[in-house]
Amino acid sequence: MQQEFGQSSLALDEAYDLVCIGFGPASLAIAIALYDRGVQPRVLYLERQKNFIWHAGMLLPNARMQISFLKDLATLRNPRSKFTFINYLKSKNRLVAFTNLSTFLPLREEYNDYMTWCAAHFAPFVQYGQETISVSPRRNGKEPVQSWQVISKNVDTGRQSSVTAKHVVIAVGGKPKIPPTLTNEDSYTIIVHSSDYSISVPLLLTQKHKPYNLAVIGGGQSSAEIFNDLPSKYPNSRVTLFTGSSALKPSDDSPFVNEVFDPERTDIFYDLPDEAQHKSIASNKATNYGVVRPELLDHLYKIMYQQRLHEPDESKWQRQIIPWTEVTGYEKQDDRRVRLQLRDTSTGQPGLSGASYDLVIVGTGYERNAHEALLEPTRGLLLSERYEVERDYRVKYQTEAVAEDCGIWLQGCCEESHGLGDTLLSVLAVRGGEMAESIFPSREWERQGQAKL
C-alpha cells in the first residue's frame, strides 16, 4: 500500500498525504477502504495505545456484540473485501463452527480479535505509543493553509515528534466521563470508570474471596454487565447498583427503530433543521443510551428472583439494585472506604448510603470533545465558534482560509450533525468509504496516478 517507514521516521519532519490521529475502528475502516480501492497515498496512523485493542476494559467473558457481524468494517460497503468478518473466520478456520452457533452476534472478545486481525495488515503504517499533542496550520503569510503540522510524543519517553500532512483525520474516540463530584483526586478514594474495569479492578481488589462491598453507578449496558460480572470474580462480595431511573430499562433494537443506524439515514439526518435533529436524537435515545440488552435484563431478573426465593430479607442479598437514586458525591471513611452521597430522583431528597464501599465503578459514559484541545491552534480559522463539519465530516473553515486540497476531518464526535450512529460501529464500513472518497477523490487520484506513469 504505502511506502514503509521506520520507527525513527517520526523524529524527522516527514510529509504525508494523510495522518490519522487515533487508530481505532474508525481509522481502521478508512485504512481498509483505501486498501480496497487500491489507493496508495502516503499515510501515517498515530495511536496512543501500545497495540491495537478495542475497549480493553470491557472485554468481559461471554459478553456479546450488540450489532450484527454483517455490520463489520467492510461488508456493507464491499462484501467481497478481504477484511469482512466472514473472511476473518475463514482465515482462522472457524467459519463452519461459527455458522453452527446460529447467531449474528459474536462474542465481544472475538470481534476484538477480528479488528486486531484487520489492524495487523496495516502495522507498518502505524506508530503505536504516540500521543498526539496538537495540530497546527502551516501557511505563508495570509495565503490559504497548505498543510498541517502534527506534533506527538512517545508515551514512554516523552520525546516529541513532528510530521506534516495535507489531510488530517481525528478519530480519538471518547474520553471517560466521571462527574466532578466523583472525581478521584487522590489515592485514598477508589473510584474507577467502567472503561477501565477489567484492567484496574484486579489490581485494586487482589483477594478473590474477601467480602468486599462494591458499588456500581449507572443504568446502562456497561453498568449492568459489570454488576453481573463482579460476583463471578469476587464470590463473597456484595454488589449494589445505583440508578437514577425507576428501573433498568431495555434497549430498543426492533427492526424499524434499528433503521436509525442505516448508513443512508445519515444523509436524511444531516439535512434536518437543528430542532428536528435534537428531537430525533432524543426520541431514539433508547436505542443506545442508559439502556440494557433485554437478554441481560432477563438474566439479572432471574438472579434477583432466586435471591428473593432463598432470602426474603433484601438487606441480606448479595446483589441489590437501588432505583430512583443518583449518586452525587462521597465521604471518605477512616477504613479507606467511602460512603456515597445520594439524592432521591423522585423527591429530590438528599441522603447518605448506610454502607461504605471498597470500590465504586462509574458507568457514566463518555465525552466526545478531545478534538477541541488538539485543534486549538486552528480555532482562528473556524467558520463559527464551534467545530462544525460538512456532510463528509470535513471541518468548516473560513472561505479561502484553507486550500481546497487540504483539510481536517472529524470521526466519532459528530452525533449532533450526523445522528446517533456516529459514535457506533454500525456505519463504519460505509463511512470509511465516504472518507476515502472525500479525502482522495477517485478522479483526482486516478489523474495523479496516470501522471506518474
Side-chain angles (χ1 to χ4, degrees):
M1 190 176 169
Q2 302 97 327
Q3 298 178 10
E4 287 197 18
F5 54 87
Q7 291 294 318
S8 62
S9 64
L10 281 180
L12 307 174
D13 191 14
E14 295 279 357
Y16 292 90
D17 296 313
L18 169 65
V19 169
C20 288
I21 301 172
F23 192 59
S27 288
L28 182 53
I30 295 172
I32 291 171
L34 290 173
Y35 180 95
D36 285 351
R37 280 180 53 190
V39 176
Q40 299 181 13
R42 185 164 166 76
V43 179
L44 171 66
Y45 302 93
L46 297 173
E47 171 54 47
R48 179 177 55 83
Q49 297 186 114
K50 299 294 186 65
N51 54 273
F52 186 93
I53 190 166
W54 173 66
H55 287 313
M58 287 300 294
L59 293 177
L60 306 184
N62 301 314
R64 293 196 171 274
M65 294 296 294
Q66 296 174 255
I67 61 168
S68 166
F69 69 82
L70 292 174
K71 293 184 176 182
D72 59 25
L73 299 176
T75 297
L76 297 186
R77 174 183 50 79
N78 177 14
R80 296 180 178 180
S81 170
K82 169 182 179 179
F83 296 98
T84 66
F85 184 76
I86 289 178
N87 192 51
Y88 153 77
L89 291 174
K90 180 67 174 178
S91 72
K92 297 289 186 176
N93 197 30
R94 294 202 307 269
L95 180 57
V96 174
F98 182 86
T99 302
N100 291 337
L101 292 174
S102 299
T103 182
F104 281 94
L105 305 176
L107 291 170
R108 196 176 294 161
E109 62 179 331
E110 183 173 33
Y111 204 80
N112 175 68
D113 189 65
Y114 154 65
M115 290 193 288
T116 302
W117 174 80
C118 291
H121 289 77
F122 304 98
F125 319 117
V126 185
Q127 287 285 340
Y128 289 104
Q130 286 291 138
E131 180 177 2
T132 302
I133 300 172
S134 66
V135 179
S136 304
R138 288 168 56 92
R139 65 197 305 186
N140 293 321
K142 295 184 179 180
E143 293 183 5
V145 175
Q146 299 294 327
S147 64
W148 311 94
Q149 181 183 40
V150 180
I151 298 178
S152 63
K153 68 176 181 180
N154 184 290
V155 296
D156 289 329
T157 67
R159 180 186 177 187
Q160 291 192 4
S161 303
S162 173
V163 296
T164 61
K166 299 282 288 183
H167 313 91
V168 174
V169 171
I170 298 182
V172 293
K175 297 186 300 182
K177 180 174 65 177
I178 299 179
T181 55
L182 295 175
T183 301
N184 186 3
E185 298 177 349
D186 54 55
S187 59
Y188 180 92
T189 305
I190 303 175
I191 297 178
V192 175
H193 191 269
S194 59
S195 62
D196 207 28
Y197 169 70
S198 293
I199 300 169
S200 291
V201 171
L203 300 177
L204 296 171
L205 304 179
T206 59
Q207 301 179 51
K208 179 176 181 178
H209 297 289
K210 186 174 180 178
Y212 293 114
N213 202 16
L214 311 173
V216 180
I217 300 173
Q221 182 72 21
S222 295
S223 296
E225 288 183 0
I226 291 170
F227 179 69
N228 179 58
D229 185 64
L230 277 169
S232 66
K233 286 183 167 58
Y234 304 99
N236 296 322
S237 65
R238 299 188 68 182
V239 186
T240 304
L241 183 145
F242 295 91
T243 174
S245 300
S246 59
L248 295 180
K249 298 180 179 179
S251 58
D252 187 347
D253 60 352
S254 55
F256 290 108
V257 172
N258 211 34
E259 286 185 345
V260 71
F261 301 120
D262 288 359
E264 57 266 26
R265 286 296 186 95
T266 304
D267 289 320
I268 297 173
F269 185 92
Y270 186 85
D271 290 334
L272 291 174
D274 290 349
E275 184 178 353
Q277 287 179 336
H278 297 326
K279 287 182 178 179
S280 176
I281 289 177
S283 65
N284 290 299
K285 283 281 188 180
T287 59
N288 188 50
Y289 290 103
V291 290
V292 183
R293 293 280 295 186
E295 55 268 28
L296 179 55
L297 287 181
D298 291 342
H299 173 72
L300 289 175
Y301 196 86
K302 290 175 182 176
I303 291 174
M304 304 302 284
Y305 182 81
Q306 289 173 352
Q307 291 184 137
R308 188 180 300 277
L309 172 65
H310 297 291
E311 177 54 69
D313 186 353
E314 294 185 20
S315 66
K316 297 180 180 180
W317 291 0
Q318 181 185 28
R319 306 190 211 205
Q320 287 186 301
I321 298 176
I322 311 297
W324 300 107
T325 304
E326 176 187 2
V327 178
T328 59
Y330 61 86
E331 292 184 1
K332 302 175 182 178
Q333 304 298 297
D334 293 337
D335 59 359
R336 300 187 66 81
R337 292 182 171 188
V338 295
R339 293 180 71 185
L340 298 178
Q341 297 169 351
L342 310 173
R343 186 181 72 87
D344 188 319
T345 55
S346 64
T347 65
Q349 186 71 25
L352 191 66
S353 65
S356 56
Y357 298 93
D358 297 285
L359 184 69
V360 179
I361 302 160
V362 182
T364 45
Y366 298 83
E367 294 178 320
R368 306 278 177 178
N369 59 359
H371 61 284
E372 295 182 8
L374 293 175
L375 293 178
E376 184 61 32
T378 75
R379 186 175 290 275
L381 303 173
L382 290 175
L383 187 62
S384 66
E385 294 182 357
R386 301 191 307 155
Y387 289 91
E388 298 180 346
V389 293
E390 303 283 357
R391 167 59 185 88
D392 64 353
Y393 305 92
R394 184 172 181 162
V395 176
K396 295 180 180 179
Y397 288 115
Q398 299 167 18
T399 303
E400 298 184 357
V402 178
E404 290 186 7
D405 63 343
C406 177
I408 293 176
W409 285 255
L410 302 182
Q411 296 283 270
C413 53
C414 306
E415 183 180 274
E416 290 186 0
S417 58
H418 287 68
L420 281 171
D422 184 71
T423 63
L424 307 179
L425 299 175
S426 301
V427 300
L428 288 188
V430 173
R431 190 174 75 186
E434 293 174 348
M435 291 289 291
E437 178 62 28
S438 175
I439 298 170
F440 302 111
S442 299
R443 292 182 180 179
E444 180 179 331
W445 189 257
E446 289 171 1
R447 186 168 60 251
Q448 291 180 10
Q450 292 172 356
K452 295 178 182 179
L453 296 178

